[in-house]
Amino acid sequence: MKKKLLFCGLLLAGLNLQAQIQSENFEGNAIPTGWTQQITGAGTWTFGSNIPPYDGNPDFPSKAAIFNDDALGSAAAPSVATLLSPAIDVTSYNTLTVAFDYYMNEIGGKGFLRVEAFDGSAWQQLLFRDTDQITMANVSYDVTAFKNAAFRVRFTFDDEGGWSWGAAVDNFMLSGSLSTTKHGKNFFSIFPYPAAH
């Protein structure tokens, strides 16, 4: 009778398993639970629409978080509008990635979108865009260096005191990898030991 070699660990030991930590597609008609806004001046981020502020933009494939500076009019106060994701403890992850879709349109050099990640003590810039992004662009950033117990991301549109078009954000995703390595040793076993046939 032949003894069989069984791999109880299924070769998963030491591998990094990718996990979705947070995601938000902004399909609701109100700000999502846990998300917040900080507004200086006029306007707010709005939800429930797929129609961009700029007439030259194609409609978005689905609803998005939108800041429409154009709708405020030329007489509105300057706007600095920040949309913040919920804070989350990501210290147990080996790697960390943030991805999202965005668009941004300025007028006459006025208006920018800045995206930052909180590293536990300060905000670290991921994206700064002060030129037109007419169609939705997808971007991804390795934010492993910023992981902490209160990690979050913020999106800020600033019209720089002018009458601008605006910006939109969609399909936010925070993902990370968890290692199956336990106490520095690969969790792998062979039975029977020694293997024989």
Side-chain angles (χ1 to χ4, degrees):
M1 176 183 283
K2 292 185 178 180
K3 294 180 180 178
K4 295 182 180 179
L5 186 64
L6 301 177
F7 295 94
C8 298
L10 298 178
L11 300 179
L12 289 177
L15 297 179
N16 286 328
L17 303 178
Q18 197 70 13
Q20 177 180 304
I21 304 168
Q22 274 184 341
S23 67
E24 182 54 59
N25 60 13
F26 301 107
E27 287 303 297
N29 295 325
I31 189 169
T33 302
W35 288 71
T36 56
Q37 296 195 56
Q38 294 174 348
I39 307 294
T40 301
T44 62
W45 286 85
T46 60
F47 309 88
S49 174
N50 71 325
I51 300 173
Y54 176 51
D55 296 338
N57 288 110
D59 288 352
F60 305 141
S62 61
K63 295 175 184 176
I66 299 171
F67 188 84
N68 190 336
D69 200 70
D70 180 56
L72 301 176
S74 60
S79 300
V80 181
T82 300
L83 178 65
L84 297 102
S85 71
I88 187 168
D89 185 348
V90 293
T91 53
S92 63
Y93 291 87
N94 290 337
T95 63
L96 205 60
T97 303
V98 165
F100 55 89
D101 297 339
Y102 81 97
Y103 112 93
M104 208 291 295
N105 279 95
E106 54 84 28
I107 300 176
K110 296 292 186 180
F112 66 77
L113 176 67
R114 176 185 287 124
V115 183
E116 299 160 292
F118 185 62
D119 71 2
S121 60
W123 290 96
Q124 303 295 333
Q125 184 170 288
L126 304 179
L127 171 84
F128 180 83
R129 183 79 186 220
D130 61 358
T131 57
D132 289 347
Q133 177 61 51
I134 294 176
T135 57
M136 276 286 197
N138 178 263
V139 292
S140 178
Y141 299 93
D142 182 346
V143 291
T144 306
F146 308 145
K147 64 181 184 173
N148 67 90
F151 181 87
R152 65 195 315 192
V153 176
R154 69 182 182 185
F155 302 86
T156 300
F157 179 79
D158 187 333
D159 68 10
E160 300 180 278
W163 185 22
S164 192
W165 286 112
V169 176
D170 202 5
N171 301 318
F172 172 84
M173 174 74 73
L174 173 63
S175 59
S177 65
L178 291 167
S179 175
T180 60
T181 301
K182 198 169 186 178
H183 304 300
K185 295 181 180 178
N186 286 341
F187 204 56
F188 186 107
S189 60
I190 299 175
F191 179 83
Y193 182 82
H197 64 277

